[in-house]
Amino acid sequence: MGLRQASSNYTKFLTYLVIIILVNIVGVTLFFRIDLTKNNIYSISEASKKVVSTLSEPLTINVFFTRNLPAPHNNTERYIHDLLEEYANYANRYFNYRFYDVSPDEGDMHPETKENRELAKGYGIFPVQIQAIEEDEVKFQKAYMGLVLIHGDLIEKIPTITSTDGLEYRLTTAMRKLNNKVSALLNLKDKIMIRLFLSSSLEAVAPFMRLKRLPDLPEQIKSVVEKLNDKNYGKLQFEYLDPSKDESLVPLLDKHDILHLQWPALSNGKIPPGKGAIGLVMEYGDKAVTTPLIRILRIPIIGTQYELAEIKTMEETINKNVESLIDINEDLGLLADHGTLGFQVTPPAGPMGQPVQRDINNFRTLTSQNYTIKEVRLKEGNIPEGLNCLIIAGPTEDFSDYELFQIDQFLMQGKSLALYLDAFKEVMPPNQQGMYGYNQGPVYLPINTGLEKLLSHYGVGVKKSYVMDESCYKQEAPAQLGGGQQAVYYAPLIKNRNIDSDLAFMKNIKGMITLKISPLELDAERISENGLEVRELFSSSEKSWEMSGRINLNPMLIQPPQSPDKQQSLPLACVLQGNFPSYFEGKPIPEKETADNGTKEDRKEETDKKSEIDLSKITGMGQFISRGKPGKIFLLASSEMLTDNLLDAQGRNPNAMFVMNVLDYLNNRVKTAVMRSKAQRFNPLHDTGAGTKTFVKAFNMAGLPVMVIAFGLLVWFRRHSRKKRIEMIFHTETRRV
């Protein structure tokens, strides 16, 4: 019996041993882990997976990191190991990484270590000095903590990695920058179609429209496409279509908003009545981009003018459209005239003095990581082709109807607008002093640029007031004024409960600070009539109010209203999206204003042309879009959000995360926004009332000890009861015996 039991025990032991060995083998060969953090900060995002899985050429990451560094730098090295390992799990065969040994050995340095250090130096990776505490002493040592990415002949480096914050975002951004267009083109299943719609009937009126190059346009564009095809891996295909000879093409003209012209009999019947169309359409999948090839200018006195697109700019235009179609468009438009933020370099005319200059250097630094800023000057020309988003930040000068028409039609194309508008212009009075000799504060003048007409038509607007909030930034008061904290009511703090976290790009934004911000007006009825959708991104607290009329932002002179009824939560930022209706529907198309109407010779030449043929009789259709493709408008009534006062150059504070996430959202890069903000570690505690704070404090001081004593008494009582039961059982058994 004993021998059989022993044999059974040995069998169980061997079985368990085999199971343990097999589990360890499986653990070595099949790697997996579970990220239990709320924001999955230790797992790469979908955007990172897409970048490494679509590499088309070898990409190598060389890491130069000194081993056995003191905390917290040793954790950084471990994080880089894990991060690159996870990249490799989702990458294709073109992804590689390697850690180079640059750590000194005991005594003389190993020859291989010297070679690795020289290699790091060649890439521009140099050691940095870090602080370590050993044996109760503060010591300093030099350490390598950098890496370099190599993709073909291109090199991108991160010379110093002192923290894990945002490291995945920096790596993925660098890889995308190196890979971008090459991998995207090589992975295209079909070719990008470039179709030129040009009616041969236009050749009859082209000479009178001063479009002498029109007949040569098909061959010229074909030549440009063939040249670009060599650089785009043969992914472009050109096709010339003549709607005059093929009536089946007519529905496509309306579909792609192609300009088509119509004219009666001209030049005393020498030119018969006719019609024609012209435009360039690029298509891939369900995406299409239309490029107008003729610009129609209606200039006062001179009259109607026609301009043909320049062939020398066609190559750049097609390249930008290719990037837009395959979703790697990196251009970002920034309005650079009309007194916008960062471009107010000349004082305005009049006695009010010069506006306060505000810098946006940090904003430019942050956007340059993912986008190339293209300055747009509406006073000099149109909005460039290829832009998906236009930023208008703090304009102070009026927009002409023609310029508003350009913005309106840009939105109608399914593009996005990021509007940071100010309700007031802050102007410093020149050399004016108050009655006691102190300089007066700035004067706040209401701004009306004309954009208000467009926004009101869409259903949103900006109130002519500033938001004051009891939940605000507090600064240290000077000692001569008694010290303590001074509430800056015009700098509202945005708490978590007032932020719409349901949107993916807003999910990890837990709080922000604003400055000199105005409330928004949302016309729900108008928005509904237009078939649009609005989302309030954040609002002020329930203890906010408006300051209007005479604005004075001296913190010592601002007091909250006596009645709580005058305080309420106010919307501060929103996104409006959908198929926008044009503001110019049913209105005449505005004419472009020019300061110079030309010389006498020019005017005489135009007069002679008019006597020969009346160009006003040629009517154009298709140049105006009355109902747009799905687009987006972001509106925040304070350009201060983009200034260096509120954005840090590293992009780590919540304000910077918010601004960049909004731009990614407007450019259809939500996954990039999610990847960036998941490293946001600003998690403030929820506000609680005084009663709740008192209860928690009392519970921690008295409640927990009472609970421990009560638990001890309960254990003692249970043990005492158990002891009594055992004694009674023992006495009962004794009596029976």
Side-chain angles (χ1 to χ4, degrees):
M1 184 69 179
L3 185 61
R4 185 179 300 174
Q5 182 67 33
S7 175
S8 176
N9 291 338
Y10 280 121
T11 302
K12 289 182 180 179
F13 172 75
L14 292 175
T15 302
Y16 294 154
L17 182 62
V18 170
I19 291 174
I20 292 173
I21 294 174
L22 291 177
V23 168
N24 278 273
I25 294 175
V26 171
V28 171
T29 56
L30 298 177
F31 170 81
F32 72 94
R33 64 177 182 172
I34 300 175
D35 188 351
L36 299 179
T37 57
K38 182 178 181 180
N39 298 332
N40 293 324
I41 60 175
Y42 295 108
S43 302
I44 64 174
S45 63
E46 292 298 325
S48 299
K49 295 175 184 178
K50 181 179 179 181
V51 168
V52 294
S53 64
T54 57
L55 291 173
S56 57
E57 292 183 356
L59 184 143
T60 302
I61 299 179
N62 293 335
V63 184
F64 302 92
F65 215 99
T66 302
R67 294 177 305 182
N68 301 322
L69 291 177
H73 304 296
N74 55 348
N75 292 330
T76 302
E77 182 189 10
R78 181 69 261 170
Y79 177 81
I80 295 175
H81 272 282
D82 294 340
L83 183 61
L84 294 180
E85 178 65 26
E86 190 158 2
Y87 272 119
N89 288 336
Y90 294 98
N92 59 20
R93 60 190 178 92
Y94 292 114
F95 179 82
N96 300 281
Y97 71 91
R98 177 181 175 183
F99 280 77
Y100 283 84
D101 182 12
V102 289
S103 305
D105 296 325
E106 295 293 335
D108 295 335
M109 190 177 298
H110 195 275
E112 183 180 353
T113 303
K114 290 183 178 181
E115 293 180 6
N116 293 340
R117 291 193 170 194
E118 289 297 321
L119 183 62
K121 182 179 179 181
Y123 287 132
I125 306 294
F126 298 96
V128 296
Q129 187 170 271
I130 62 172
Q131 177 180 301
I133 299 178
E134 296 180 3
E135 299 177 354
D136 298 330
E137 292 183 6
V138 178
K139 297 182 180 180
F140 295 92
Q141 71 177 95
K142 289 187 175 181
Y144 287 86
M145 297 187 295
L147 59 83
V148 59
L149 299 93
I150 306 170
H151 189 57
D153 296 330
L154 302 176
I155 294 177
E156 189 78 17
K157 63 181 178 181
I158 303 179
T160 306
I161 306 174
T162 57
S163 172
T164 62
D165 291 344
L167 183 56
E168 181 199 347
Y169 174 76
R170 296 170 67 185
L171 276 175
T172 300
T173 301
M175 282 188 276
R176 180 189 289 134
K177 186 183 297 184
L178 293 172
N179 186 42
N180 60 46
K181 193 172 182 178
V182 176
S183 62
L185 285 170
L186 291 179
N187 283 281
L188 293 182
K189 297 179 180 179
D190 303 315
K191 292 189 176 183
I192 298 174
M193 295 300 302
I194 303 178
R195 295 187 172 94
L196 171 63
F197 291 84
L198 177 58
S199 300
S200 55
S201 57
L202 288 173
E203 296 180 7
V205 294
F208 302 99
M209 300 168 67
R210 303 180 69 178
L211 304 176
K212 297 179 180 180
R213 295 187 295 108
L214 189 66
D216 302 327
L217 197 60
E219 285 299 322
Q220 291 176 337
I221 295 182
K222 181 180 179 182
S223 177
V224 171
V225 174
E226 289 176 350
K227 179 182 177 182
L228 289 174
N229 224 357
D230 296 334
K231 302 177 182 180
N232 289 274
Y233 303 94
K235 296 295 184 178
L236 307 181
Q237 183 173 332
F238 176 75
E239 187 177 6
Y240 167 44
L241 303 172
D242 186 354
S244 296
K245 299 179 180 179
D246 188 355
E247 291 293 331
S248 64
L249 299 176
V250 174
L252 295 178
L253 303 181
D254 296 328
K255 176 183 177 182
H256 297 296
D257 298 314
I258 294 174
L259 173 65
H260 42 287
L261 305 172
Q262 187 171 349
W263 58 91
L266 301 172
S267 188
N268 297 323
K270 295 179 181 180
I271 301 176
K275 59 182 180 179
I278 179 172
L280 188 70
V281 177
M282 297 180 60
E283 290 183 280
Y284 181 76
D286 57 350
K287 295 183 179 180
V289 179
T290 301
T291 301
L293 298 177
I294 290 181
R295 289 180 57 196
I296 302 177
L297 302 177
R298 294 178 174 84
I299 303 176
I301 301 178
I302 294 180
T304 304
Q305 294 286 299
Y306 296 88
E307 291 183 0
L308 194 62
E310 293 288 340
I311 291 298
K312 60 183 179 182
T313 64
M314 191 56 60
E315 182 175 340
E316 180 181 359
T317 299
I318 294 177
N319 255 329
K320 295 298 181 184
N321 289 342
V322 167
E323 294 175 356
S324 179
L325 288 173
I326 59 180
D327 199 24
I328 59 169
N329 179 39
E330 297 183 352
D331 286 345
L332 189 66
L334 177 64
L335 189 65
D337 52 21
H338 292 81
T340 51
L341 192 65
F343 299 95
Q344 298 175 348
V345 294
T346 57
M352 289 308 299
Q354 186 167 353
V356 178
Q357 179 69 22
R358 297 164 296 167
D359 295 324
I360 55 172
N361 298 323
N362 291 344
F363 173 73
R364 290 178 177 273
T365 300
L366 294 174
T367 53
S368 64
Q369 297 175 3
N370 271 337
Y371 301 96
T372 300
I373 294 181
K374 298 292 185 181
E375 294 183 0
V376 177
R377 302 182 185 274
L378 284 178
K379 294 182 179 181
E380 300 175 5
N382 293 346
I383 301 175
E385 296 290 331
L387 294 180
N388 279 336
C389 179
L390 175 64
I391 303 173
I392 302 178
T396 57
E397 300 173 8
D398 293 344
F399 289 83
S400 67
D401 285 345
Y402 183 78
E403 292 163 349
L404 293 176
F405 178 73
Q406 303 303 314
I407 297 173
D408 177 89
Q409 292 298 290
F410 177 80
L411 182 62
M412 294 304 108
Q413 297 175 43
K415 307 299 181 66
S416 300
L417 294 175
L419 305 179
Y420 294 85
L421 306 182
D422 295 315
F424 301 95
K425 177 168 58 177
E426 183 177 341
V427 179
M428 294 299 297
N431 301 322
Q432 294 185 10
Q433 293 185 337
M435 59 184 298
Y436 297 104
Y438 296 105
N439 290 328
Q440 293 182 354
V443 177
Y444 297 90
L445 305 176
I447 297 177
N448 292 288
T449 62
L451 287 173
E452 297 81 11
K453 296 186 294 185
L454 292 183
L455 294 178
S456 177
H457 175 72
Y458 304 143
V460 294
V462 176
K463 289 187 178 181
K464 291 296 185 285
S465 62
Y466 278 139
V467 174
M468 306 288 120
D469 201 332
E470 290 190 38
S471 173
C472 62
Y473 173 75
K474 294 177 176 60
Q475 64 180 4
E476 294 295 328
Q480 57 269 29
L481 298 178
Q485 289 186 328
Q486 175 67 56
V488 184
Y489 294 113
Y490 58 85
L493 291 177
I494 310 302
K495 301 295 183 66
N496 190 16
R497 65 175 181 272
N498 298 115
I499 298 176
D500 184 0
S501 300
D502 293 335
L503 296 171
F505 70 96
M506 295 289 295
K507 184 177 180 181
N508 296 321
I509 306 297
K510 307 295 185 180
M512 289 178 286
I513 182 172
T514 58
L515 185 65
K516 298 175 185 176
I517 192 168
S518 301
L520 303 183
E521 292 180 304
L522 305 178
D523 188 342
E525 184 177 351
R526 183 68 175 170
I527 293 172
S528 178
E529 290 176 357
N530 290 333
L532 303 175
E533 178 187 356
V534 65
R535 294 291 295 266
E536 293 183 24
L537 299 185
F538 63 83
S539 59
S540 60
S541 76
E542 292 75 13
K543 294 186 177 182
S544 60
W545 70 97
E546 298 181 52
M547 177 185 287
S548 58
R550 186 175 180 180
I551 304 296
N552 189 336
L553 299 184
N554 186 336
M556 300 183 64
L557 301 179
I558 303 175
Q559 294 295 330
Q562 298 295 326
S563 174
D565 296 338
K566 296 183 179 181
Q567 294 179 319
Q568 60 176 329
S569 179
L570 300 166
L572 302 180
C574 73
V575 169
L576 196 63
Q577 57 187 353
N579 301 80
F580 288 84
S582 174
Y583 170 76
F584 293 90
E585 172 69 17
K587 302 181 178 69
I589 298 177
E591 297 181 346
K592 182 178 182 180
E593 299 177 359
T594 56
D596 183 12
N597 291 329
T599 63
K600 292 182 178 180
E601 291 76 9
D602 293 334
R603 290 195 292 270
K604 183 178 184 301
E605 181 182 352
E606 295 301 328
T607 302
D608 294 340
K609 284 287 183 181
K610 285 185 177 182
S611 63
E612 183 177 357
I613 181 173
D614 187 1
L615 296 181
S616 64
K617 293 183 178 180
I618 302 177
T619 58
M621 295 172 289
Q623 59 174 325
F624 171 71
I625 306 174
S626 60
R627 188 82 182 188
K629 301 175 182 177
K632 304 185 188 78
I633 294 179
F634 165 76
L635 178 60
L636 186 147
S638 173
S639 62
E640 293 285 346
M641 182 64 81
L642 301 184
T643 62
D644 294 348
N645 291 331
L646 297 184
L647 300 184
D648 66 314
Q650 292 74 32
R652 294 180 180 176
N653 69 25
N655 278 38
M657 291 279 184
F658 169 76
V659 169
M660 295 309 300
N661 282 4
V662 166
L663 290 181
D664 286 337
Y665 169 74
L666 296 178
N667 284 276
N668 300 315
R669 294 181 174 181
V670 177
K671 292 182 179 179
T672 301
V674 173
M675 174 180 62
R676 179 193 295 107
S677 60
K678 79 175 187 179
Q680 177 60 245
R681 298 185 180 182
F682 177 68
N683 289 300
L685 297 175
H686 293 287
D687 290 337
T688 55
T692 304
K693 293 179 181 179
T694 302
F695 171 77
V696 172
K697 186 186 299 184
F699 179 77
N700 288 333
M701 295 176 62
L704 289 178
V706 170
M707 286 183 62
V708 172
I709 294 173
F711 182 76
L713 291 174
L714 177 63
V715 172
W716 175 84
F717 179 75
R718 291 187 63 184
R719 288 180 177 177
H720 183 72
S721 299
R722 182 171 177 270
K723 181 179 179 182
K724 288 291 186 182
R725 288 197 304 271
I726 293 174
E727 288 180 353
M728 291 189 63
I729 293 173
F730 178 76
H731 287 302
T732 302
E733 292 294 331
T734 303
R735 289 172 186 166
R736 289 179 180 177
V737 172

